[in-house]
Amino acid sequence: MFYRKFGKTDEMVSILGFGCMRLPLLPGGDASKIDEGKATDLIRYAIDEGVNYIDTAYPYHGKGMTSGGESEPFVAKVLKDGYREKVKVATKLPGWLIKTRADMDKYLDEQLARLETDTIDFYLIHSLNAYLWKNVKEAGVTDFLDKAIKDGRIRYAGFSFHDENKCFNEIIDAYDWSFCQIQYNYMDENFQAGKQGLLYAAGKGMGVIVMEPLRGGKLAAGIPEAVKDAFNQADIKRSPADWALRWVWDHKGVSVVLSGMNTMEQLEENLKIAGEAKENSLSTKEKDVIGKARDLFLQRIKVPCTACAYCMPCPNGIDIPSCFRLYNDYHIYGRDENYRMLSDGKKASNCIECGECESHCPQFIAISRELKNVTSLFEGK
């Protein structure tokens, strides 16, 4: 296992972190019913093999986003018998539930109790975007973090992020953060914070945690045959997951890569790679192989939307860029789990074919027609 210095802190963290959002479940598929036997074996084996970063969050393995899930209490159980002393624990403040300054203390104290610990090593404001950042900032989040660090309830403050790069830089510049967590993989180099955000955060001395290195497993399983062939033609034979993880770890600014491993096979493969992957170690030929795989994925795009948002706001409330992104994701990766998460008012079926959006589209996309295709695919209409 390789370790990297965690930004401007004095901490050394394993380059592979264990994400506790997708733990193995008991039969039936209820996300709140963790298979504690299998999950305990996985996490303790990972720690025994050198993983020292364990990531959870308030809603993980729950029935929704408004109440605590089972991940935090389970992590407390797993880290008994001396395992707590071997790791750094990360969890996250549910910013969407914050209405007052007092709410922050309430949730942090609840999380300390759920995790059965006096101190949370790495505490993040969860899933920040422009709206949530405005909300928690006005509620006094910087004062809260300062005091929580001073009184020892948390050691380091950070945030996880899901929005555009401009918002990312604004958040970084607003507080003396120790670290951040971003989505980053070879398909998302310019998505959300992206490479620019990675370099900006690392340049500020922040540790950078990478989530979704395999894009929820889409870069590891169910790979299109053409992409498999591109990897197989390389001089060095690696699995798709191996190529994807090495691409992320090749970046100097990356501190930890989180993986939600729910089988021993996945864990052992990732541990092996984490014992071999170094910064700036991929050759030009290896990078070309990954670039070819990326191009083959991108050839499957159906709508040439660049998410410039010139089509917005839609007079009827449709989130046009998100509809097209999810539609393209389906065709690129062969599956999608997120369209259903759009609120009904933002879905493609609300299109009334007014044509206003099309007059602003620099890509000259027939938006009304394509929204019908999105509706047909995802809503069966």
Side-chain angles (χ1 to χ4, degrees), residues 182-322:
I182 63 173
Q183 179 169 327
Y184 198 58
N185 55 68
Y186 68 76
M187 292 299 296
D188 290 330
E189 190 170 12
N190 299 304
F191 179 63
Q192 294 184 2
K195 186 174 183 178
Q196 289 185 359
L198 168 63
L199 294 174
Y200 192 71
K204 293 277 189 177
M206 295 170 62
V208 178
I209 313 298
V210 167
M211 56 183 158
E212 303 293 351
L214 303 178
R215 227 176 187 272
K218 296 183 181 75
L219 302 182
I223 301 295
E225 289 301 318
V227 177
K228 289 181 184 177
D229 290 342
F231 285 138
N232 289 335
Q233 289 171 16
D235 295 335
I236 299 174
K237 305 306 177 187
R238 296 179 175 136
S239 70
D242 193 331
W243 283 107
L245 289 172
R246 286 178 191 267
W247 184 89
V248 180
W249 277 318
D250 195 60
H251 292 75
K252 185 178 180 180
V254 172
S255 307
V256 179
V257 171
L258 293 177
S259 182
M261 301 161 282
N262 54 33
T263 70
M264 191 60 72
E265 181 183 22
Q266 292 172 356
L267 174 57
E268 288 181 339
E269 179 180 21
N270 289 2
L271 287 169
K272 180 179 182 295
I273 304 165
E276 299 172 352
K278 296 181 180 180
E279 299 171 357
N280 300 318
S281 63
L282 290 178
S283 68
T284 300
K285 288 181 68 174
E286 289 171 312
K287 292 177 182 178
D288 288 343
V289 169
I290 296 171
K292 179 65 179 299
R294 179 195 296 119
D295 291 344
L296 288 166
F297 270 124
L298 293 176
Q299 286 175 16
R300 300 162 69 90
I301 286 176
K302 294 294 185 181
V303 182
C305 174
T306 63
C308 68
Y310 288 176
C311 58
M312 298 292 284
C314 166
N316 222 37
I318 302 169
D319 186 342
I320 298 170
S322 291

Side-chain angles (χ1 to χ4, degrees), residues 35-47:
D35 187 326
E36 296 194 359
K38 288 182 180 179
T40 298
D41 289 345
L42 287 168
I43 296 175
R44 289 191 172 183
Y45 182 80
I47 296 170

Side-chain angles (χ1 to χ4, degrees), residues 11-30:
E11 304 294 339
M12 296 296 292
V13 289
S14 57
I15 64 170
L16 177 64
F18 203 114
C20 297
M21 184 176 74
R22 299 186 180 103
L23 296 170
L25 303 176
L26 293 171
D30 185 337

Side-chain angles (χ1 to χ4, degrees), residues 47-303:
I47 296 170
D48 290 340
E49 292 297 314
V51 170
N52 71 355
Y53 191 99
I54 307 297
D55 172 87
T56 183
Y58 186 72
Y60 287 177
H61 282 286
K63 295 185 180 296
M65 299 294 283
T66 58
S67 59
E70 297 303 314
S71 182
E72 286 179 333
F74 170 71
V75 167
K77 295 178 187 177
V78 145
L79 296 183
K80 293 183 184 300
D81 305 323
Y83 279 89
R84 175 65 181 93
E85 291 71 31
K86 298 179 181 180
V87 300
K88 313 296 181 185
V89 173
T91 195
K92 309 172 187 76
L93 178 74
W96 56 90
L97 297 178
I98 300 303
K99 294 182 174 59
T100 67
R101 169 68 175 77
D103 286 342
M104 301 180 198
D105 288 304
K106 180 188 78 171
Y107 283 109
L108 172 55
D109 290 342
E110 181 182 346
Q111 290 174 287
L112 287 164
R114 284 159 56 84
L115 285 161
E116 299 182 40
T117 188
D118 295 326
T119 301
I120 293 167
D121 302 291
F122 299 112
Y123 196 59
L124 301 87
I125 312 303
H126 199 172
S127 197
L128 282 185
N129 54 31
Y131 171 78
L132 283 179
W133 171 239
K134 181 176 184 293
N135 180 54
V136 298
K137 182 172 64 172
E138 291 178 353
V141 72
T142 58
D143 176 70
F144 160 71
L145 292 172
D146 284 342
K147 291 183 177 176
I149 292 170
K150 185 176 180 179
D151 65 30
R153 287 179 295 167
I154 68 174
R155 297 184 63 206
Y156 302 103
F159 64 94
S160 64
F161 182 78
H162 290 286
D163 206 334
E164 299 302 315
N165 184 265
K166 179 181 178 182
C167 175
F168 182 74
N169 291 357
E170 176 189 337
I171 294 171
I172 284 182
D173 292 341
Y175 185 70
D176 184 22
W177 306 98
S178 294
F179 68 106
C180 62
Q181 183 171 310
I182 63 173
Q183 179 169 327
Y184 198 58
N185 55 68
Y186 68 76
M187 292 299 296
D188 290 330
E189 190 170 12
N190 299 304
F191 179 63
Q192 294 184 2
K195 186 174 183 178
Q196 289 185 359
L198 168 63
L199 294 174
Y200 192 71
K204 293 277 189 177
M206 295 170 62
V208 178
I209 313 298
V210 167
M211 56 183 158
E212 303 293 351
L214 303 178
R215 227 176 187 272
K218 296 183 181 75
L219 302 182
I223 301 295
E225 289 301 318
V227 177
K228 289 181 184 177
D229 290 342
F231 285 138
N232 289 335
Q233 289 171 16
D235 295 335
I236 299 174
K237 305 306 177 187
R238 296 179 175 136
S239 70
D242 193 331
W243 283 107
L245 289 172
R246 286 178 191 267
W247 184 89
V248 180
W249 277 318
D250 195 60
H251 292 75
K252 185 178 180 180
V254 172
S255 307
V256 179
V257 171
L258 293 177
S259 182
M261 301 161 282
N262 54 33
T263 70
M264 191 60 72
E265 181 183 22
Q266 292 172 356
L267 174 57
E268 288 181 339
E269 179 180 21
N270 289 2
L271 287 169
K272 180 179 182 295
I273 304 165
E276 299 172 352
K278 296 181 180 180
E279 299 171 357
N280 300 318
S281 63
L282 290 178
S283 68
T284 300
K285 288 181 68 174
E286 289 171 312
K287 292 177 182 178
D288 288 343
V289 169
I290 296 171
K292 179 65 179 299
R294 179 195 296 119
D295 291 344
L296 288 166
F297 270 124
L298 293 176
Q299 286 175 16
R300 300 162 69 90
I301 286 176
K302 294 294 185 181
V303 182

